[in-house]
Every structure is written in structure tokens, then in C-alpha cells.
Amino acid sequence: MTEQGLDAAGTLAEPLRRRLYQYVVARGGDVSRADAANAVGERRNLVAFHLDKLVEAGLLDVTRRKVSGREGPGSGRPAKLYRRADSQLNVQLPPRDYETAARVFADAVEQAGADNSLYAAAHNEGARQASTMPAEDRPADLGDLVALLERHGYEPAREDPAAGGPIRLRNCPFHTLAREFPTLTCGMNLELLRGLLSGFEGFCARMEPSPDQCCVAISKNNKD
Amino acid sequence: MTEHHLAQLNIATPRFPMDDPRMAGFTEMLDPINALADASPGFVWRLRSEGANDATAERPFGPDLLVNFSVWESVETLWNFTYRSDHLSLLRERREWFQHTTEFYTVMWWVPAGRIPTLDEAGERLAHLRAHGPTAEAFTFRNTFPPPARDTTAP
């Protein structure tokens, strides 16, 4: 548990700040003050104040860029742009350290060459989560599934939803572990999701790795 | 231009002969994954046998050891190809085709840009890693080292 984590949690207690943070995260890139002010329907000065509070707390990063594309004198001051910070903040009360435990487990799995046991356990865990889910939470379409995956921390986004495009996941809930043990962690994540989806009708998850995204994509099953 | 490129060697013992049907899942992926590597940002070079598209016929470190030997512009470009492309799917199924080992089976090191490393050198770097653990001379993704500040491998 870090002081910084507590400060960050406190910063998000302010409702407007929380909406601004969620907006910047959902945009998935650089956001200007004007865009943020429009999105939440508040004055730009007030929005700027709260965005800077989020930066102080380490929740957002700032870049400065000339949006006009012009250079030199007279081209205006560079705009302040906000994006979600790369750093990770943990708030757990009382203090818990599952990340160290996960790293040790992953190392042991790798030493033992027990990849397939890990994948099988992950699949079972996903299926268990699906089977214990109340009927009203069970997704019937990709829209429902987006809401479910949000609750699991994935930050899902539809690719070309009008054309029935797949769900891509912007956040990896296991990001830190995935940096150190990518093969095991991405394989585990895929099987967790496959296990979860096996409890519902009509979805399939596949590997579609790309930089800066979770390696899994989810689409409607063609059989439907 | 960068002064140093990243060389990587990977060795693996197949569980079955290469023409065994149980290896088909791996051998069928070779051409598409090699093509993906060749087209990936930061790719510089990879070992292939004369007249072949890959190096699966090469056995420099023993009759049972396959080698994968390549050069990249940076750790990040190699990482993105290895773990953020369809190559990841191949890794995920590695236990189907390759024996498990508790020894280091992969090593990377910096070479002056423009010089293609030799298999002898690659073997020495792997031996160095196995003897001393990760150092600036021979390391892994989990313990990377920055490229040398100046070229110390004078001709």
C-alpha cells in the first residue's frame, strides 16, 4: 500500500474528477481541455483545474503539442493534452501483495513447464465465474458483454460495431505480470476469457496480439 | 542510425522428428511466422539455410537442437514481434512441440550495427549466460541491458 495510492483514491472521490478520469481513459489517447469540458458539460477553467489535480495525483500524464500544426512565432502556445498515466497504483486495505505472489507462481509454472496446467486452471476459473453469475448479468449480445468485461477491468471497445466488429480490450488486468511472463500470462488470460464465454451462448475469444492492446479479441460466434 | 543492433539466439529440442505429423502444427506455422518477422518493424536479419526459407535444417549445437537466430534494431522491436504478434500463438503452444528445459534456452546481446553475428559467437553467448547469469554480454528479456555507449568490439 502506498501513500500515492491512497492520495489517488482520494482524488477520485470528487465526482467530476472521476467522470473526467473515466472520459480520458475511455478515449484511449490524448485529450484536450476543450474536449474534456465538452464531454462533461462543465466550464473549461473548472475542468482544467480538475484535470491538473488528476495529474498531481499521478493518475494522468500531460503532453504539450501544437494542435494547429503550425510552427514558429505566432503559431500559438502548445496545447496541454491529457492521457492515462502509465504507472500503476494499488490500493488495498489492509495491505496485500498479490503481485509478488503472482510473479512467484508464474516463475514456478515456467520452471516446471506446466503451461498447460495453468491454461486448464484458467479455463476452469472462467467457467466457474460464468456459472455463478446471476441470470440478469449473463450477456445476450456483444453490448452486454462489453458491460460485463468492464466490470472485470478490461476496458473493452467495439471495433466497427455497425458491422458487428469484434471487441478489443484496451486494458490488460494482468499488465505487470504480462510484461515479465508474456507467454504464460497472455495464454492464461485467453483461457480465462474462453472459460467465461463457454458459460454463455454465441461468443468466441481468439488471440490477436498487437502492441498497446490486450492480446485477445472477442466476436459473435459464426454458428449463431 | 543506431550504433548497435540486438542479436538473439533461441534453441529448442523438438519432441518428435520434424516430419512427424505431431509437429505439423509447428511446421505449418514456419513460413507465415517467418514472413511476419521479415516484415516486422525493426527486423534486420535471420539465419536461414542455403536455398531454404528457414534454419530448421541447421544443427550447429547438436543433432536434436533447432536454432532460431536473428538480429533486430532494438529490444522493443524484438519484444513486439515475439509477444505482440501472431508469433505469440506459436509460443503459447510451445509445450506441444518442444521439450521443457530448466536451462537458459534463449540469449540476446548487442552487436555493432551492420555486422552479422556468427553461430560460434551465438553459442559462446549462450554458454556465457548459462555460466554467469544475465550480464551486459549475454542477457534475456527479463533482465535487459542497454547497448554499449561506444563500440568496444574494434575490428
Side-chain angles (χ1 to χ4, degrees), chain B residues 44-152:
Chain B
V44 176
W45 171 87
R46 66 182 166 86
L47 177 71
R48 49 181 107 186
S49 307
E50 212 173 309
N53 187 36
D54 57 57
T56 48
E58 305 290 321
R59 295 290 189 280
F61 305 118
D64 297 330
L65 281 171
L66 286 192
V67 298
N68 177 304
F69 185 20
S70 62
V71 175
W72 294 75
E73 283 176 10
S74 64
V75 172
E76 192 195 1
T77 51
L78 176 59
W79 203 90
N80 276 337
F81 165 69
T82 309
Y83 298 121
R84 295 283 102 186
S85 78
D86 284 338
H87 180 264
L88 177 66
S89 304
L90 197 140
L91 279 179
R92 193 170 55 88
E93 296 182 73
R94 60 194 168 174
R95 303 286 177 233
E96 309 298 320
W97 310 308
F98 296 100
Q99 288 180 22
H100 171 60
T101 172
T102 51
E103 283 193 292
F104 285 108
Y105 54 88
T106 182
V107 62
M108 36 187 102
W109 68 101
W110 295 104
V111 294
R115 184 171 76 69
I116 298 301
T118 64
L119 275 164
D120 281 349
E121 181 184 346
E124 284 163 19
R125 298 287 175 156
L126 183 61
H128 193 280
L129 177 68
R130 286 178 170 180
H132 305 284
T135 61
E137 280 69 47
F139 49 90
T140 66
F141 273 130
R142 213 168 291 163
N143 297 278
T144 58
F145 289 79
R150 286 177 57 240
D151 184 5
T152 50

Side-chain angles (χ1 to χ4, degrees), chain A residues 165-219:
Chain A
I167 298 175
R168 294 304 315 251
L169 309 170
R170 287 216 191 104
N171 182 51
C172 171
F174 316 110
H175 178 79
T176 311
L177 195 67
R179 282 300 304 188
E180 199 168 343
F181 299 92
T183 307
L184 286 180
T185 310
C186 296
M188 176 190 78
N189 185 42
L190 176 68
E191 292 306 324
L192 266 175
L193 286 165
R194 281 183 172 163
L196 184 74
L197 298 179
S198 74
F200 317 124
E201 286 298 312
F203 306 108
C204 65
R206 63 178 187 282
M207 279 249 164
E208 206 175 292
S210 67
D212 307 321
Q213 289 206 81
C214 167
C215 50
V216 175
I218 299 171
S219 43

Side-chain angles (χ1 to χ4, degrees), chain A residues 12-80:
Chain A
L12 286 171
E14 210 289 319
L16 177 56
R17 259 176 233 164
R18 191 180 311 194
R19 278 168 62 209
L20 284 166
Y21 178 72
Q22 285 165 340
Y23 171 70
V24 173
V25 167
R27 280 279 302 268
D30 289 332
V31 173
S32 71
R33 288 173 166 181
D35 286 350
N38 280 338
V40 298
E42 294 287 349
R43 284 183 302 113
R44 202 161 146 180
N45 282 353
L46 180 68
V47 163
F49 169 79
H50 285 301
L51 285 171
D52 288 334
K53 285 285 173 201
L54 290 165
V55 173
E56 274 174 43
L59 291 162
L60 298 182
D61 281 342
V62 165
T63 51
R64 286 178 185 278
R65 198 171 61 218
K66 286 196 178 171
V67 183
S68 68
R70 288 177 293 155
E71 295 289 335
S75 59
R77 281 175 45 188
K80 215 168 175 181

